[in-house]
Amino acid sequence: MAVALNEMAEKELIKHFRHKGTWLERVPSKNKWVNNDVIKLTEIGADPDVLINNNTYPIPISSRTDDSVAISLYKYDTENTRITDDEVYALPYDKAGSVQEQHRETLEEKTEEHALHSLAPSANTADTPIIETTGDDDGNGRLRLRSQDLINYKKTLDDLKIPKAGRILVLSSEHVADLLIEDKALERQYQNHTDGMIAKNYYGFEIYESNYSPVYDGSLNKIAFDSVTPGSSASVLFHTKTTGKARGSVKRYLAKSDDDPQNRETVVGFRLYFLAIPLRAKGQGAIVSGTP
């Protein structure tokens, strides 16, 4: 019976673990590639050339070299929560159910933050361009993001032949505020949006917002996740065709009060395996707040 209840709790967490209404919904799921909390990724080789009005034969033959790599999913553990029998008896609500929901929501928030950090490029390269904002000083030594920055960035992506459909831009809270100040049309969309997307097409980007943003140093190198090292916050660009996410196993850890006669309390926690990463080093980018 205890095993069955544990399995039900794990299935319930998986059922509702959807990152609903967030930018992470736009990252394609690769769950079917996962085995034993390891995902096997294949980077597809170069596209074939297309010949127009060809009259030279034989037609050239080329090989396509694909690279495969196995990656372990990240392991996320929640800290355990204590539920005493006295609480269960006295409270007018299902505290155990509330605790499980809280653990799921916390896992969703942390995996979403970590995923955005993982999708952000490590550094500025030809295939993963990072630009700095060029607007007015916001009064705190930070240059605001302006629409001209997005127009210039769109041109950079066009030159890289990044497909126009599927360009997702997750704006930091600072950059959202910058654009709302500048663009009244966007402000109207922002006030009326009902899900995670702010705009379906804004200078060629699908626009989302995140309270979390990766941080870059002065050389435009990404600072480690959850680091206390200061830096400049960034908005993140990715393309749906070059990214993937995968969820592995979920386990609930439970010590019941029946087995704890001394303290008479239940302790519960969860472990989840999850990953969201680029599938190739092209199609990602970032917009970092510049300085005067």
Side-chain angles (χ1 to χ4, degrees):
M1 184 65 177
V3 173
L5 290 173
N6 233 28
E7 289 179 351
M8 287 178 59
E10 291 162 359
K11 289 178 180 178
E12 188 69 13
L13 187 141
I14 292 174
K15 177 181 176 182
H16 294 286
F17 191 80
R18 295 287 184 270
H19 295 102
K20 189 171 178 58
T22 73
W23 59 268
L24 198 45
E25 281 192 300
R26 295 292 283 119
V27 178
S29 173
K30 306 296 181 184
N31 287 346
K32 62 182 180 180
W33 296 359
V34 175
N35 184 32
N36 292 327
D37 296 321
V38 173
I39 185 170
K40 188 172 184 180
L41 299 175
T42 299
E43 182 173 345
I44 295 174
D47 296 334
D49 291 333
V50 176
L51 308 177
I52 300 176
N53 294 332
N54 176 69
N55 56 16
T56 302
Y57 296 92
I59 290 178
I61 299 174
S62 62
S63 299
R64 194 187 83 176
T65 302
D66 297 341
D67 293 323
S68 295
V69 60
I71 302 175
S72 296
L73 304 189
Y74 290 117
K75 180 178 68 175
Y76 300 88
D77 285 299
T78 61
E79 290 187 349
N80 296 325
T81 299
R82 176 188 298 109
I83 308 169
T84 68
D85 280 359
D86 287 343
E87 289 176 315
V88 173
Y89 178 79
L91 292 174
Y93 63 89
D94 177 16
K95 181 164 183 178
S98 174
V99 165
Q100 170 147 329
E101 183 178 0
Q102 184 182 36
H103 279 241
R104 175 185 60 80
E105 292 173 348
T106 303
L107 282 168
E108 282 193 335
E109 291 170 3
K110 183 57 70 172
T111 52
E112 181 185 342
E113 292 176 359
H114 197 195
L116 189 60
H117 184 274
S118 297
L119 294 179
S122 298
N124 182 28
T125 71
D127 288 332
T128 58
I130 300 175
I131 66 168
E132 294 183 275
T133 57
T134 63
D136 296 333
D137 191 324
D138 69 349
N140 296 305
R142 183 187 70 86
L143 299 183
R144 294 187 183 278
L145 173 66
R146 59 190 186 126
S147 57
Q148 187 62 49
D149 295 329
L150 295 183
I151 294 171
N152 294 338
Y153 201 40
K154 175 186 180 302
K155 176 64 166 56
T156 298
L157 300 176
D158 291 345
D159 292 342
L160 286 173
K161 302 294 190 294
I162 304 299
K164 297 183 187 300
R167 295 178 184 177
I168 311 298
L169 183 59
V170 185
L171 293 173
S172 68
S173 297
E174 289 179 339
H175 291 167
V176 169
D178 295 339
L179 293 176
L180 291 178
I181 291 171
E182 181 187 61
D183 190 338
K184 296 301 180 184
L186 180 65
E187 183 182 12
R188 287 193 294 272
Q189 293 184 65
Y190 186 81
Q191 297 300 332
N192 295 327
H193 85 285
T194 56
D195 53 20
M197 183 185 295
I198 298 175
K200 177 70 174 177
N201 192 337
Y202 189 72
Y203 297 110
F205 302 98
E206 293 181 33
I207 301 291
Y208 289 80
E209 179 182 10
S210 174
N211 289 330
Y212 167 81
S213 61
V215 177
Y216 286 80
D217 65 20
S219 299
L220 298 184
N221 294 310
K222 184 170 64 174
I223 296 174
F225 183 69
D226 271 353
S227 171
V228 297
T229 303
S232 298
S233 62
S235 298
V236 177
L237 166 86
F238 67 89
H239 198 280
T240 56
K241 288 187 177 181
T242 61
T243 56
K245 65 184 178 185
R247 189 201 66 242
S249 62
V250 173
K251 185 173 182 178
R252 181 175 77 158
Y253 293 87
L254 180 70
K256 298 194 69 175
S257 61
D258 293 352
D259 301 318
D260 184 9
Q262 233 181 344
N263 300 301
R264 302 180 188 189
E265 61 186 25
T266 295
V267 178
V268 62
F270 282 86
R271 171 175 290 174
L272 167 78
Y273 286 87
F274 183 80
L275 184 74
I277 56 172
L279 301 181
R280 59 183 299 193
K282 189 170 184 178
Q284 299 81 48
I287 301 175
V288 178
S289 291
T291 54

